[in-house]
Amino acid sequence: MRILSIESSCDETSAAVVELVNNKIVVHSNVTATSLAMHAKTGGIIPENAAREQVKYIIPVIKEALEKYYQVTNLLTNQLTLHDIDAIAVTYGPGFIGSLLVGVETAKTLSFVFNKPLIPVNHLLAHLFANFISPELNAKRYQLNASSFPFIGLIVSGGHTDLLYFESVNKYEWLGGTKDDAAGEALDKIGRLLGLSYPAGPEIEERAKLFSSSLSSKERAGVRFHSPVIGSDDFDFSFSGLKSEVMRFVQANLTVNREPITKNSLINEICFAVQRAVIDVLVKKTLAAAEKYGVPTILLGGGVSANQTLMEQLRSNVKGHMSHVNIFSPEQKYCTDNAAMIGAYALLNPKEKPWEKVFATPDLYFS
Ligand code: KG4
Ligand code: ZN
């Protein structure tokens, strides 16, 4: 089965052609246009601006994804045709209404005009199933398959932080999630306080590494922030208190006469402490869930799962009776929003719906 997939839930506009070959999810093309540079200027996403950009990008991105696929298979075409495509998959939620509408209405139109089945996909679940995308040739990655169930899934993105227990591709239980800010959202807001680039996750990771390589481990205990709700006996998270704690620290230590000042070494140390506070609670609750449900596998997904320190901490903390637990995150390029993961989930769970019954659903959660 070959699928054209479309993703437009937030600020990215992405299209991909993916196929199930001998039970492997092969990505033929994955094209993403981003309006990140525009959002960097405002220090965050203004949904209406994102959607206006997506209106411009959507058809060129789909066309490029198809052309890349047809070139691969020597079927060059100048027209938008869906030759060789068996179905269309699209993110229908959660996300910004304007952004979702762009992708959903385009997919519905293509489904109607070219008479192809339509598969609506939950963006959050797709983040986890990005782990099932087949590794590129020569890549030293383990291929996940039907025997990878059950698993604990941790979705950590700019909009969500959720823990789930998966029995099969469409049978799962939500265990807990954030009560306020998502992990990525907290990192981005703290990055803004510190004058970092947007989105701030990658720079916070980079600066944390610079700090930890600059000192011996004994000397690292200087700045410390609390890991929110780390002691609670549940699978919930909360990150807005961390943001307030950092704000108070910045006001006390990085301002003179209320004017912000730049002290690079202190900013690096704050990044280290912030990242540690976020990672500590993610690791503790994820491993507690894996232990409670006795699973052999933990899968991460979402932009924050690109964080190498998070993966290292998880892996180094599965010890003793849990040392058999394998932990995966998607290939770096499939951690952040992309259409290939939407196609991957649709290939594994090809639930078609008549195009008239598919609607952009901004507050879609787990159902
Ligand atoms: O999944 P994603 O692309 O978009 C949403 O669906 O939200 O995630 C974006 C988030 C941003 O908050 C960004 O700061 C964070 O992922 N992020 C990272 C890293 N790369 C991206 N956070 C920590 N470390 C990273 N290396
Ligand atoms: Zn996402």
Side-chain angles (χ1 to χ4, degrees):
M1 187 181 197
R2 232 167 276 126
I3 287 183
L4 167 69
S5 52
I6 297 172
E7 153 65 34
S8 72
S9 62
C10 190
D11 58 326
E12 263 88 19
T13 316
S14 185
V17 176
V18 298
E19 181 176 9
L20 207 53
V21 186
N22 299 330
N23 254 339
K24 287 186 172 179
I25 296 170
V26 176
V27 177
H28 291 299
S29 64
N30 181 44
V31 176
T32 304
T34 178
S35 48
L36 256 189
M38 186 177 79
H39 306 308
K41 286 185 201 148
T42 46
I45 298 169
I46 297 174
E48 290 72 20
N49 290 351
R52 282 188 202 112
E53 291 299 293
Q54 286 167 315
V55 171
K56 285 192 262 174
Y57 293 148
I58 188 79
I59 297 298
V61 160
I62 291 173
K63 205 159 170 277
E64 193 179 328
L66 287 167
E67 280 169 2
K68 281 200 168 142
Y69 162 60
Y70 290 135
Q71 275 168 26
V72 169
T73 53
N74 293 321
L75 286 166
L76 241 177
T77 175
N78 285 323
Q79 286 177 314
L80 187 63
T81 74
L82 295 193
H83 181 67
D84 261 0
I85 299 290
D86 302 306
I88 296 165
V90 67
T91 301
Y92 73 111
F96 298 132
I97 180 64
S99 298
L100 288 167
L101 274 172
V102 174
V104 168
E105 295 308 312
T106 306
K108 285 168 75 168
T109 310
L110 292 175
S111 163
F112 171 73
V113 172
F114 292 99
N115 195 22
K116 304 281 178 185
L118 185 62
I119 305 170
V121 173
N122 180 326
H123 176 90
L124 297 175
L125 301 183
H127 265 308
L128 290 178
F129 286 85
N131 283 287
F132 286 75
I133 292 175
S134 186
E136 280 168 13
L137 277 182
N138 304 324
K140 288 200 183 89
R141 267 182 87 82
Y142 177 76
Q143 171 72 51
L144 290 165
N145 53 40
S147 63
S148 308
F149 295 91
F151 67 79
I152 290 293
L154 171 67
I155 302 165
V156 261
S157 71
H160 297 272
T161 309
D162 291 290
L163 266 172
L164 297 106
Y165 166 69
F166 271 82
E167 236 174 85
S168 69
V169 75
N170 51 19
K171 195 162 176 223
Y172 56 86
E173 185 188 335
W174 181 80
L175 306 178
T178 185
K179 296 175 181 181
D180 39 58
D181 289 355
E185 182 181 1
L187 293 176
D188 294 341
K189 286 179 176 167
I190 290 168
R192 200 172 168 185
L193 281 175
L194 298 172
L196 309 186
S197 53
Y198 176 84
E203 188 174 345
I204 289 179
E205 179 172 26
E206 199 49 44
R207 284 176 175 271
K209 267 191 206 146
L210 281 175
F211 174 74
S212 60
S213 60
S214 69
L215 286 172
S216 75
S217 56
K218 245 201 268 164
E219 290 168 294
R220 276 184 209 157
V223 182
R224 246 200 133 119
F225 299 117
H226 293 95
S227 290
V229 300
I230 196 162
S232 68
D233 197 16
D234 53 30
F235 298 115
D236 286 337
F237 302 93
S238 161
F239 294 103
S240 66
L242 175 63
K243 183 187 61 196
S244 313
E245 199 183 352
V246 177
M247 193 193 297
R248 284 193 294 276
F249 184 89
V250 167
Q251 278 162 357
N253 296 281
L254 278 173
T255 51
V256 169
N257 298 331
R258 298 202 179 164
E259 287 298 314
I261 52 163
T262 310
K263 276 195 215 158
N264 251 321
S265 59
L266 183 57
I267 292 177
N268 292 354
E269 187 169 0
I270 295 172
C271 288
F272 177 85
V274 164
Q275 182 174 274
R276 173 154 71 183
V278 171
I279 288 179
D280 281 356
V281 68
L282 292 175
V283 168
K284 186 187 166 213
K285 302 239 167 163
T286 306
L287 296 187
E291 186 168 21
K292 177 171 176 187
Y293 287 84
V295 297
T297 311
I298 295 172
L299 300 186
L300 270 61
V304 183
S305 66
N307 188 291
Q308 289 169 8
T309 319
L310 169 61
M311 286 301 288
E312 282 159 18
Q313 295 284 319
L314 277 166
R315 287 190 171 135
S316 68
N317 275 283
V318 281
K319 293 187 201 113
H321 64 289
M322 284 181 76
S323 55
H324 64 286
V325 175
N326 288 304
I327 305 165
F328 301 94
S329 64
E331 238 179 280
Q332 194 94 3
K333 62 184 170 194
Y334 300 129
C335 283
T336 48
D337 290 351
N338 66 89
M341 69 182 192
I342 305 302
Y345 189 70
L347 285 171
L348 294 170
N349 188 32
K351 269 199 196 148
E352 300 166 14
K353 245 189 170 181
W355 65 265
E356 303 94 317
K357 295 199 172 151
V358 175
F359 301 103
T361 312
D363 52 0
L364 176 73
Y365 216 43
F366 299 106
S367 51

